Amino acid sequence: MLRHSKAIVAALACAFATGALAAGTLEKIKSQGYITLANRDASIPFSYYDNNQKPIGYSTELCLKAIDMIKKKYDMPNLEVKYQLVTSANRIPLIANGTADLECGSTTNNLEREQQVAFGYTFFVTGNRWISKKSAHLKSLQDLKGKTIVSTAGTSNLKEITEINNKENLGMHIISANGHPEAFRMVETGRAAAFVMDDILLYSLQANSRNPKEFEISDVSLSLQPYGPMMRKGDDEFKKAVDDAIGEIFKSGEINKIYHKWFEQPVPPKGINLHVPMSAQLKKVIAHPTDSGDPKDYE
């Protein structure tokens, strides 16, 4: 009897989850009174915690402003924002199954991921590079031959460097780390020769390190990586709401203030200025918004 009861409870829970997904995100968040925003803990300056464990960052601020616009447009003045901490490895499943409604971090939009989730308008464009100690003199892909290379688990960067390793027969020993800080520490301590990741995240890790001058980021860019807000696939109404809101932030010019705040001014927690001017690729996206996952569209 107990086993039968547990089966009924499990079936009802599954049916409830399926029904919530089928209802559509706008209907769901209006009914429950809150929206769940997926955040990262250490993707500086996109999505990370301040000293009070509050989610902050460029992506976080951009999406909070978009949520405010959605609240106004769809008459949800009391809609609360709740946060769901995610990692590189679990962010896609937690969006796909409805645990979180919107993810705004440093997630690359690509054609493979578009089979699992949807992306809104691109809000940043970066390049896939590597960071290493200057003393190692790792200037080219050939210099990485036979070396131990680290990247973060669940990232497109890890997948790309693995494919390059196999294609070019470089004999690299590729390992994964649970997060960007852990991967960078592997280079700091000599457990890895280089860390392959989006260059903007590498700039931040280098700037926040104990001795930034000890490291260098490769001139070689393996590929372009467009970042965008991630949401459940197939919910066209919610995607349009997010796109419309971000598109309005682009059109009004408010994006320039948000960008300047996080990339050209000192940011918490250490007050370090990354000094990264807006790229030509991002300026193009702001003028002509796109949700493309094809890197060729950003060249």
Side-chain angles (χ1 to χ4, degrees):
M1 182 68 178
L2 180 60
R3 185 181 300 173
H4 183 64
S5 298
K6 287 182 177 179
I8 292 174
V9 171
L12 288 173
C14 181
F16 177 80
T18 303
L21 290 174
T25 304
L26 288 174
E27 182 179 339
K28 184 185 81 167
I29 64 177
K30 190 166 189 177
S31 173
Q32 67 190 13
Y34 64 87
I35 183 170
T36 303
L37 182 61
N39 67 283
R40 302 294 297 276
D41 62 352
S43 286
I44 302 172
F46 295 93
S47 177
Y48 64 105
Y49 286 137
D50 64 12
N51 288 330
N52 297 315
Q53 295 298 292
K54 176 186 176 183
I56 59 172
Y58 169 77
S59 307
T60 301
E61 180 174 342
L62 183 58
C63 283
L64 285 175
K65 287 183 179 295
I67 290 171
D68 282 341
M69 296 170 74
I70 290 171
K71 285 164 62 174
K72 185 175 181 180
K73 181 176 180 180
Y74 292 92
D75 191 26
M76 295 184 278
N78 299 317
L79 186 71
E80 181 185 356
V81 176
K82 294 187 177 182
Y83 292 95
Q84 170 67 52
L85 179 63
V86 297
T87 66
S88 296
N90 69 17
R91 56 190 167 175
I92 291 177
L94 291 180
I95 284 291
N97 70 16
T99 299
D101 303 305
L102 184 64
E103 191 263 0
C104 297
S106 53
T107 300
T108 298
N109 176 10
N110 60 39
L111 300 177
E112 181 179 347
R113 287 175 174 170
E114 286 180 356
Q115 301 302 311
Q116 305 173 68
V117 292
F119 287 87
Y121 285 153
T122 294
F123 51 56
F124 197 84
V125 183
T126 185
N128 189 17
R129 302 177 192 266
W130 65 83
I131 191 168
S132 59
K133 290 185 177 180
K134 289 181 180 177
S135 59
H137 304 292
L138 304 180
K139 307 292 186 182
S140 68
L141 270 173
Q142 286 299 315
D143 294 332
L144 300 182
K145 192 170 184 177
K147 301 288 195 302
T148 296
I149 309 300
V150 65
S151 192
T152 308
T155 62
S156 57
N157 313 78
L158 179 61
K159 183 175 184 292
E160 182 173 21
I161 193 62
T162 301
E163 290 173 348
I164 290 173
N165 188 38
N166 294 334
K167 183 179 179 180
E168 303 293 331
N169 195 26
L170 296 174
M172 292 184 282
H173 175 51
I174 298 174
I175 57 177
S176 63
N178 290 326
H180 306 322
E182 179 183 317
F184 184 70
R185 281 194 297 272
M186 288 183 179
V187 176
E188 281 187 306
T189 58
R191 286 179 289 165
F195 170 27
V196 176
M197 184 44 57
D198 301 336
D199 54 19
I200 188 61
L201 299 177
L202 297 179
Y203 290 135
S204 174
L205 289 163
Q206 179 181 15
N208 283 280
S209 68
R210 294 177 184 176
N211 186 9
K213 293 182 180 179
E214 184 181 359
F215 305 95
E216 63 182 0
I217 296 170
S218 66
D219 291 332
V220 176
S221 176
L222 304 175
S223 65
L224 288 174
Q225 307 274 328
Y227 291 174
M230 182 169 58
M231 62 207 86
R232 185 163 52 86
K233 187 176 177 64
D235 193 339
D236 295 339
E237 185 181 22
F238 182 62
K239 174 173 159 45
K240 185 178 187 305
V242 174
D243 283 347
D244 286 349
I246 292 179
E248 183 56 37
I249 293 170
F250 287 177
K251 185 178 179 181
S252 69
E254 187 176 10
I255 184 63
N256 296 307
K257 296 178 183 178
I258 299 172
Y259 185 94
H260 179 70
K261 174 182 176 180
W262 293 103
F263 295 97
E264 299 177 304
Q265 290 188 154
V267 299
K270 295 184 179 181
I272 292 174
N273 190 333
L274 296 179
H275 297 290
V276 177
M278 189 178 290
S279 67
Q281 290 94 340
L282 182 54
K283 289 178 181 178
K284 179 182 175 183
V285 167
I286 291 170
H288 305 284
T290 178
D291 62 359
S292 175
D294 188 344
K296 293 179 181 178
D297 291 334
Y298 299 92
E299 294 176 350

